């Protein structure tokens, strides 16, 4: 593998918490790995699993989904419903052979700019270790 | 047993308790009986029930042209009963609009039937419930080896959608595979779209698949679809202690949540 490999990671951030957390990281001038491409979604509950497949189909190496902490969802239960879906879906992706290290979920609130940095760096490291996704 | 079934169906039609009965008749293929809709008491001798009655009937309950006939009667094996229970749970039919004659095969039957006939016939739909070993074996392999396995299998898919058409719980009038604005699932029989299709088809049935094995039987290129279905079936059972098709009064597991659901995989 090429040592200069930099992964492309698609990050789905919810409008109300994680996107604001990313914003806070920015306005606080915090530095994080430049590997994520952010897509803002209204709520993690809005994410259809097919979107996570599209990520890999269109050439990304990893995916991060981030939303509000439990009980903080703007729509009350979107993140609870999403949590169940991921629980099952990530096991399924693992079963068909996508390394678990390519699929990540996190809770980041609007006040957690520093946590956002941590999450992005951790996810980028893991995906970088796995190398480029050559499956599709 | 067949006399008893014919007798009961005849009575039901004559008394107008039902206006159509969904059952089986002899097909061109000696190994596969054909579904039949019986509307007249004179057609009784067409009705059969034996080991060739494999095709799931429950889907006909949903067809608008069959629905329009009024109250439907149906003969239901174990798998059909579970499918019907699932359809009631998902508000596709009501319990009152169907009259169910269950066929006992010695399994624990869901409680949703009007009468039961013991056939002595021990085979239900050819449910392929022996995947667990293969699943465990696959899980012991590396992700790359598993990918390789599925790539080879899924490359064969010709996008005929037989797996969808035959599935008793796949009833959407507009399937995600048919939507093209945007095109979520690529239509060409290429690994990209095949991967998305097969993963999403199985996933949309997570917690809903009754394990009847019909999709795999229908697949013309023999993709082991039941491995995906059964993996999800087991996953739902472990995570939520839930099995579909026995109780229509609980919400499907992926349409609900519990505040204390496990989240050890979330950063
Ligand atoms: S086994 Fe296949 S056909 Fe039967 S319910 Fe499950 S997905 Fe549908
Ligand atoms: S039945 Fe088999 S070949 Fe046809 S769409 Fe389904 S998986 Fe593909």
């Amino acid at each position: 593998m090429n040592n200069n490999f930099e992964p492309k990671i698609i990050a789905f951030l919810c409008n109300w918490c994680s996107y604001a957390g990313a914003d806070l990281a920015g306005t606080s001038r915090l530095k994080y790995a430049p590997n994520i491409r952010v897509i803002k979604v209204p709520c993690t509950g809005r994410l259809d699993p097919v979107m996570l497949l599209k990520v890999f189909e269109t050439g990304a190496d990893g995916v991060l989904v981030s939303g509000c902490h439990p009980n903080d969802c703007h729509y009350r239960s979107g993140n609870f419903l999403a949590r169940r879906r991921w629980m099952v879906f990530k096991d399924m992706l693992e079963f068909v052979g996508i390394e678990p290290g390519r699929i990540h979920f996190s809770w980041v609130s609007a006040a957690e700019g520093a946590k956002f940095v941590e999450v992005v760096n951790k996810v980028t490291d893991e995906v970088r270790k796995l190398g480029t996704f050559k499956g599709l | 047993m067949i006399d008893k079934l014919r007798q009961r169906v005849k009575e039901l039609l004559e008394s107008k308790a039902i206006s159509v009965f969904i059952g089986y008749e002899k097909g061109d293929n000696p190994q596969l009986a054909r579904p039949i809709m019986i509307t007249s008491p004179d057609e009784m001798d067409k009705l059969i029930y034996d080991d060739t009655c494999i095709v799931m009937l429950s889907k006909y309950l949903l067809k608008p042209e069959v629905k329009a006939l009024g109250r439907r009667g149906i003969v239901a094996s174990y798998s059909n009963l579970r499918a019907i229970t699932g359809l009631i749970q998902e508000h596709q039919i009501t319990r009152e609009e169907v009259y169910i004659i269950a066929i006992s095969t010695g399994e624990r039957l869901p409680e949703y039937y009007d009468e039961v006939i013991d056939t002595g016939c021990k085979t239900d739909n050819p449910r392929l419930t022996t995947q667990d070993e293969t699943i465990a074996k696959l899980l012991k392999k590396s992700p790359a080896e598993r990918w390789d396995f599925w790539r080879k299998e899924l490359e064969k898919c010709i996008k005929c959608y037989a797996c969808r058409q035959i599935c008793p719980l796949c009833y959407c009038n507009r399937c995600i595979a048919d939507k093209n604005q945007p095109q979520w699932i690529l239509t060409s029989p290429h690994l990209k779209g095949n991967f998305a299709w097969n993963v999403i088809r199985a996933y949309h049935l997570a917690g809903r698949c009754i394990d009847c094995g019909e999709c795999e039987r229908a697949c013309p290129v023999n993709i082991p679809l039941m491995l995906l279905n059964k993996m999800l079936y087991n996953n739902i059972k472990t995570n939520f202690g839930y099995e579909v098709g026995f109780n229509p009064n609980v919400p499907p597991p992926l349409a609900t949540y519990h505040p204390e659901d496990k989240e050890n995989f979330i950063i």
Side-chain angles (χ1 to χ4, degrees), chain A residues 54 57 83-84 91 94 105, chain B residues 192 235 253 261 263 267:
Chain A
K54 254 318 185 232
E57 204 177 280
R83 182 171 63 185
R84 280 206 161 187
D91 287 352
E94 196 176 339
F105 306 96
Chain B
K192 274 189 197 231
N235 189 290
D261 280 339
E263 56 169 36
I267 315 175

Side-chain angles (χ1 to χ4, degrees), chain B residues 74-141:
Chain B
I74 190 167
V75 58
S77 62
Y78 170 79
S79 288
N80 271 298
L81 266 183
R82 287 185 70 185
I84 293 169
T85 312
L87 293 174
I88 296 173
Q89 177 185 31
E90 296 180 4
H91 307 288
Q92 298 305 308
I93 46 173
T94 60
R95 177 68 190 84
E96 296 69 41
E97 61 187 281
V98 283
Y99 189 94
I100 306 168
I101 300 184
I103 295 291
S104 159
T105 48
E107 310 247 17
R108 163 189 158 216
L109 289 178
E111 285 154 30
Y112 293 83
Y113 52 82
D114 295 281
E115 58 186 278
V116 56
I117 294 183
D118 201 334
T119 55
C121 154
K122 284 283 165 258
T123 47
D124 182 26
N125 303 63
R127 279 171 297 114
L128 315 161
T129 43
T130 48
Q131 292 83 14
D132 291 358
E133 256 171 58
T134 320
I135 293 174
K137 253 189 235 152
L138 275 172
L139 281 172
K140 279 202 201 93
K141 298 188 179 193

Side-chain angles (χ1 to χ4, degrees), chain B residues 154 156-164 194 197-198 201 215-216 218-223 225:
Chain B
L154 298 182
K156 300 190 298 196
C157 172
I158 54 168
K159 287 283 180 60
C160 65
Y161 301 126
C163 47
R164 170 186 77 184
N194 291 359
W197 164 242
N198 283 280
R201 184 203 62 79
C215 48
E216 185 168 305
C219 179
V221 292
N222 299 325
I223 300 176
L225 297 172

Side-chain angles (χ1 to χ4, degrees), chain B residues 29-244:
Chain B
N29 177 345
Q31 280 152 21
L32 208 57
R34 182 162 57 199
I36 183 179
M37 316 283 141
I38 296 184
T39 47
S40 145
D42 311 330
E43 293 174 290
M44 276 323 124
D45 44 346
K46 286 190 191 158
L47 194 64
I48 62 162
Y49 198 92
D50 56 27
D51 288 351
T52 66
C53 298
I54 288 170
V55 178
M56 294 286 286
L57 294 180
S58 57
K59 216 167 178 175
Y60 293 97
L61 292 171
L62 305 176
K63 301 259 175 222
E65 58 273 34
V66 182
K67 257 187 167 174
L69 293 173
R71 191 155 186 242
R72 286 88 78 206
I74 190 167
V75 58
S77 62
Y78 170 79
S79 288
N80 271 298
L81 266 183
R82 287 185 70 185
I84 293 169
T85 312
L87 293 174
I88 296 173
Q89 177 185 31
E90 296 180 4
H91 307 288
Q92 298 305 308
I93 46 173
T94 60
R95 177 68 190 84
E96 296 69 41
E97 61 187 281
V98 283
Y99 189 94
I100 306 168
I101 300 184
I103 295 291
S104 159
T105 48
E107 310 247 17
R108 163 189 158 216
L109 289 178
E111 285 154 30
Y112 293 83
Y113 52 82
D114 295 281
E115 58 186 278
V116 56
I117 294 183
D118 201 334
T119 55
C121 154
K122 284 283 165 258
T123 47
D124 182 26
N125 303 63
R127 279 171 297 114
L128 315 161
T129 43
T130 48
Q131 292 83 14
D132 291 358
E133 256 171 58
T134 320
I135 293 174
K137 253 189 235 152
L138 275 172
L139 281 172
K140 279 202 201 93
K141 298 188 179 193
S142 72
E145 286 170 316
R146 278 202 295 276
W147 182 268
D148 210 46
F149 172 85
W150 283 111
R151 182 180 55 77
K152 282 191 194 124
E153 290 294 346
L154 298 182
E155 260 168 4
K156 300 190 298 196
C157 172
I158 54 168
K159 287 283 180 60
C160 65
Y161 301 126
C163 47
R164 170 186 77 184
Q165 295 311 113
I166 202 137
C167 174
L169 270 304
C170 252
Y171 53 69
C172 294
N173 286 327
R174 294 181 64 224
C175 173
I176 189 167
D178 301 331
K179 290 183 184 160
N180 56 6
Q181 285 183 332
Q183 186 99 56
W184 286 116
I185 307 214
L186 302 176
T187 48
S188 313
H190 176 279
L191 182 62
K192 274 189 197 231
N194 291 359
F195 178 74
W197 164 242
N198 283 280
V199 169
I200 290 298
R201 184 203 62 79
Y203 184 75
H204 280 186
L205 285 146
R208 305 176 56 242
C209 165
I210 51 147
D211 193 23
C212 69
E214 280 291 275
C215 48
E216 185 168 305
R217 187 180 66 78
C219 179
V221 292
N222 299 325
I223 300 176
L225 297 172
M226 286 311 289
L227 291 178
L228 292 174
N229 296 329
K230 203 60 200 297
M231 175 261 144
L232 288 166
Y233 190 102
N234 295 344
N235 189 290
I236 298 274
K237 198 168 161 185
T238 317
N239 277 327
F240 313 115
Y242 173 91
E243 276 187 279
V244 69

